[in-house]
Amino acid sequence: MLEITPPLGFIQMSSTVWTYIFVTITFFIYLYIGWRSRVKETSEFYVAGGGVPAIANGAATAADWMSAASFLSMTGLIAASGYDGAVYLLGWTGGYVLLALLLAPYLRKFGQFTVPDFVGKRYYSETARIVAALCAVFVSITYVAGQMRGVGLVFSHFLKVPVEYGVVIGMVIVAFFAVLGGMKGITWTQVVQFFVLIAAFLIPSIALSKMLTGSYIPQVGFATGDVHERVDALHTELGFKPYTEPFTNRSQLNVFLTMFALMAGTAGLPHVIVRFYTVANVRAARYSAGWALLFISLLYTAAPTMAMFARYNLLSTLNGAKVASIEEVENEEGNKTGQKIYHLAAVGEDGTEKPIHWINTWQLTNLIVFDDKDGDGKISLQKDGKDYAEATIDKDILVLATPEVAGLPGWIVAIVATGGLAAALSTAAGLLLVISSSIAHDLYIHFIDPEASEAKRLTVARIMILAAIVVAGYFGIIKPGFIGEVVAFAFGLAAASFFPIIFLGIFDRRTNREGAICGMVVGILFTGGYILACKANVILPFLFSEPLITPILPGWTEGGISPESIGAVGCGLNFIVTLVVSRLTPAPPEEIQQLVDDVRIPRGSHAPEAHFDESDAEADNP
């Protein structure tokens, strides 16, 4: 059993009180920024006027990027899946590098407000713009649904309310500062949120590293300590395959496809791409991409460490815990609800018992459920199918629960909750703005009321944000999957719809509008249809009782291509359809082909042979 000794001393207050203090302070800061940054022009609403400094845009991009999926769910998925869970870390990190180095500077040179703007201009087609706008809405709503779930988890824990109520509270908070400030307010809020979330992740990581390995640097403790050996031994003892053994929870094919889908999806995410339009020029876009990569690495290099520490703490604390008593929950009228709360105690080697208090709140919200099936008075975490024999633990709570499991001070528990909220809210706000701009800017202004005043345009954009929050809140409540899995669906949709069109739009002058439209339609319909076929009973439970694919391919949802992986196949289909249709239909106009060449060629450059032409000396030294 792990010896739990808090390494840090601080004023003794409960974690709930600290959480109220931290959340209240940070929320007032967010709301103040939203109020001070309120805008009156659409250019400030959509791209913050294009004047955000590179380092600030880097921090805002990192906050935009590191959503609840990165902060809360990715660590939980790695902790639960071991080696195979690292596919999320590798896919998302590789995708950002791909976006920052391969696509972002060229996209910035196009100088458009939104991704549908880019598609409309590059493919000289209003139809292509409409298809791109609809794809952006589809992708963003899927993505923001995961964020609303993360917000609901945090609120449900520290306010001790059901997750559904937590989601609704989060919807109200996000709506306030997203509607008021637009991109300008969101940008400066995200700068603050980055520092909140990175501190919230690193402080418990450092404390746990010192506790378990003796090193204050988590990455060093991870590499030089013996925690992985202890986790592997625990896994083997409980009947699981070793934590560090690859391909135990996912097939090799699904690992490869999921990683590709996450990488390509990252490079096609509209809410990250639009951040490169908020700086003054291409040079600033490159610098902000570098700053963002540095900021992101702080969390992503610590995540595997945190995951392993969390797994070890959880297993060593709960396995074999004694059932001290079982309490049945009563409602306000005093009637039994049927829900049981297990009061557990950790038993030391000398027989002393220590109550485990941190599980009580999580049990009230049904995010941890115990069932002493064999009635031996102890909780067993032995392997039973894919899960534990006598416990069901929601993977999304591991980061939030780990400081409590390890007995860290209340203020650390509180700052992690505050960081989780910052991560979820920052990304949700960016996504909502994409949804708003896709409908209000790309559809309403272009096709319904081109003469609309600035005030009317802003009103439409804000109404679209509110509508999007309602839809995202619904999916946050019904929970189509764990946060990381829902976000992976969004990345798959982005990979299947945007990545091929953006990539070919920059590097293939022969790709035309017919190819782009067909590619996007085929890619997103195939990917979205497959996800729906595999998750119909979860997404629309009032219509379907089982996955639509089950009667056709029994057992496919267990052993076939997973919904998180299918975006890679959709992306390949999009590439093939786009290239084939483009070659079978007329080439783009000459000015479009020249535009593609101009975007890729640095300013001041010229043909290599000109270096040998003395009359062109001025071009050599522009």
Side-chain angles (χ1 to χ4, degrees):
M1 179 65 65
L2 173 70
E3 184 65 29
I4 298 173
T5 305
L8 301 174
F10 209 75
I11 300 173
Q12 295 299 312
M13 285 198 293
S14 73
S15 59
T16 302
V17 175
W18 278 115
T19 305
Y20 276 112
I21 292 172
F22 287 153
V23 170
T24 302
I25 292 173
T26 52
F27 269 38
F28 270 110
I29 294 173
Y30 303 155
L31 295 175
Y32 174 74
I33 293 172
W35 176 257
R36 284 296 303 266
S37 305
R38 60 191 187 278
V39 298
K40 296 180 180 178
E41 297 181 3
T42 49
S43 64
E44 290 184 317
F45 191 85
Y46 292 132
V47 292
V52 178
I55 188 170
N57 196 50
T61 304
D64 216 350
W65 171 252
M66 293 186 291
S67 64
S70 295
F71 189 94
L72 297 176
S73 197
M74 182 175 72
T75 300
L77 287 169
I78 296 174
S81 306
Y83 185 98
D84 297 349
V87 65
Y88 291 93
L89 187 149
L90 294 172
W92 284 330
T93 307
Y96 183 79
V97 174
L98 189 68
L99 172 63
L101 300 183
L102 187 64
L103 302 180
Y106 302 120
L107 287 171
R108 180 63 183 79
K109 288 183 75 172
F110 269 94
Q112 302 301 302
F113 270 2
T114 66
V115 173
D117 267 347
F118 162 80
V119 172
K121 181 177 181 181
R122 165 60 182 84
Y123 294 108
Y124 50 98
S125 165
E126 292 302 305
T127 304
R129 177 195 291 273
I130 294 173
V131 174
L134 294 176
C135 289
V137 171
F138 198 29
V139 170
S140 300
I141 285 182
T142 308
Y143 199 158
V144 81
Q147 311 312 310
M148 299 315 297
R149 180 74 184 174
V151 172
L153 279 176
V154 178
F155 277 121
S156 74
H157 182 50
F158 88 86
L159 293 180
K160 298 180 175 56
V161 297
V163 176
E164 295 77 12
Y165 294 174
V167 171
V168 174
I169 294 170
M171 291 164 63
V172 174
I173 299 292
V174 172
F176 184 85
F177 65 81
V179 168
L180 201 63
M183 179 58 89
K184 189 176 180 182
I186 288 172
T187 295
W188 292 108
T189 304
Q190 286 173 335
V191 172
V192 176
Q193 286 168 334
F194 165 74
F195 290 102
V196 172
L197 74 89
I198 201 65
F201 199 88
L202 292 182
I203 288 174
S205 297
I206 292 170
L208 284 168
S209 179
K210 176 60 179 172
M211 180 186 293
L212 295 175
T213 70
S215 172
Y216 283 109
I217 304 175
Q219 293 85 348
V220 172
F222 179 79
T224 61
D226 64 347
V227 180
H228 61 285
E229 295 174 359
R230 287 186 270 169
V231 176
D232 280 350
L234 263 174
H235 265 231
T236 304
E237 178 186 331
L238 296 174
F240 294 95
K241 291 187 177 179
Y243 182 85
T244 54
E245 184 176 319
F247 312 122
T248 57
N249 294 285
R250 295 171 183 269
S251 66
Q252 280 183 281
L253 177 63
N254 271 320
V255 166
F256 173 77
L257 291 178
T258 302
M259 188 162 61
F260 182 84
L262 295 178
M263 289 182 66
T266 300
L269 278 181
H271 77 291
V272 176
I273 291 173
V274 77
R275 292 232 57 89
F276 296 106
Y277 297 132
T278 64
V279 292
N281 50 46
V282 176
R283 178 185 175 88
R286 292 181 186 275
Y287 273 103
S288 68
W291 280 113
L293 197 57
L294 173 66
F295 293 143
I296 289 170
S297 69
L298 295 176
L299 188 146
Y300 269 57
T301 56
T305 311
M306 181 76 157
M308 185 173 286
F309 293 164
R311 184 72 171 180
Y312 179 76
N313 266 342
L314 192 73
L315 295 181
S316 59
T317 302
L318 291 182
N319 185 51
K322 179 182 176 182
V323 180
S325 63
I326 301 175
E327 176 187 358
E328 192 163 351
V329 177
E330 297 180 352
N331 59 22
E332 294 180 355
E333 289 77 29
N335 300 318
K336 303 288 185 184
T337 62
Q339 183 186 8
K340 294 180 179 178
I341 303 295
Y342 277 66
H343 296 283
L344 304 181
V347 182
E349 294 179 356
D350 57 355
T352 56
E353 298 181 6
K354 184 175 182 179
I356 305 174
H357 296 297
W358 65 267
I359 55 174
N360 296 339
T361 305
W362 295 110
Q363 288 186 86
L364 283 173
T365 51
N366 282 320
L367 295 169
I368 292 182
V369 177
F370 296 108
D371 183 7
D372 184 18
K373 296 175 183 173
D374 57 11
D376 66 351
K378 294 180 181 178
I379 294 299
S380 169
L381 297 188
Q382 285 285 330
K383 184 172 184 268
D384 183 12
K386 289 186 176 181
D387 219 324
Y388 307 116
E390 297 181 338
T392 303
I393 302 171
D394 193 305
K395 299 182 182 73
D396 289 334
I397 70 168
L398 284 184
V399 168
L400 292 173
T402 293
E404 297 175 286
V405 179
L408 296 177
W411 68 273
I412 294 184
V413 176
I415 201 170
V416 171
T418 310
L421 281 176
L425 293 175
S426 60
T427 305
L431 290 163
L432 289 169
L433 197 70
V434 168
I435 296 170
S436 162
S437 61
S438 295
I439 298 177
H441 175 72
D442 297 308
L443 298 180
Y444 179 79
I445 302 303
H446 280 81
F447 301 106
I448 298 176
D449 189 2
E451 304 300 323
S453 64
E454 284 285 315
K456 191 171 184 180
R457 294 181 184 200
L458 281 174
T459 300
V460 172
R462 285 164 171 155
I463 291 173
M464 289 303 103
I465 284 182
L466 293 176
I469 287 175
V470 172
V471 176
Y474 166 75
F475 287 108
I477 290 172
I478 66 167
K479 188 188 176 186
F482 296 110
I483 298 170
E485 293 172 340
V486 176
V487 169
F489 298 159
F491 278 70
L493 292 168
S497 55
F498 284 133
F499 179 68
I501 302 309
I502 293 173
F503 182 87
L504 294 173
I506 295 170
F507 295 103
D508 181 27
R509 65 204 308 266
R510 182 62 177 78
T511 297
N512 63 14
R513 65 184 174 193
E514 291 82 0
I517 293 169
C518 292
M520 283 190 289
V521 170
V522 169
I524 200 156
L525 287 183
F526 170 80
T527 305
Y530 187 88
I531 293 172
L532 180 63
C534 293
K535 292 282 185 178
N537 56 321
V538 181
I539 297 172
L540 300 170
F542 45 88
L543 292 178
F544 305 102
S545 59
E546 64 176 1
L548 291 172
I549 203 169
T550 298
I552 304 169
L553 297 170
W556 182 259
T557 54
E558 298 295 325
I561 296 176
S562 69
E564 298 94 328
S565 307
I566 198 63
V569 181
C571 180
L573 282 176
N574 187 334
F575 266 115
I576 293 170
V577 170
T578 302
L579 288 170
V580 170
V581 173
S582 293
R583 265 59 183 179
L584 296 176
T585 48
E590 187 56 39
E591 63 270 21
I592 294 296
Q593 298 188 48
Q594 188 59 50
L595 173 66
V596 175
D597 290 340
D598 291 343
V599 164
R600 282 188 289 109
I601 297 173
R603 185 179 300 166
S605 66
H606 49 84
E609 56 270 19
H611 285 284
F612 304 100
D613 183 359
E614 292 184 359
S615 65
D616 196 32
E618 185 178 349
D620 283 335
N621 301 284

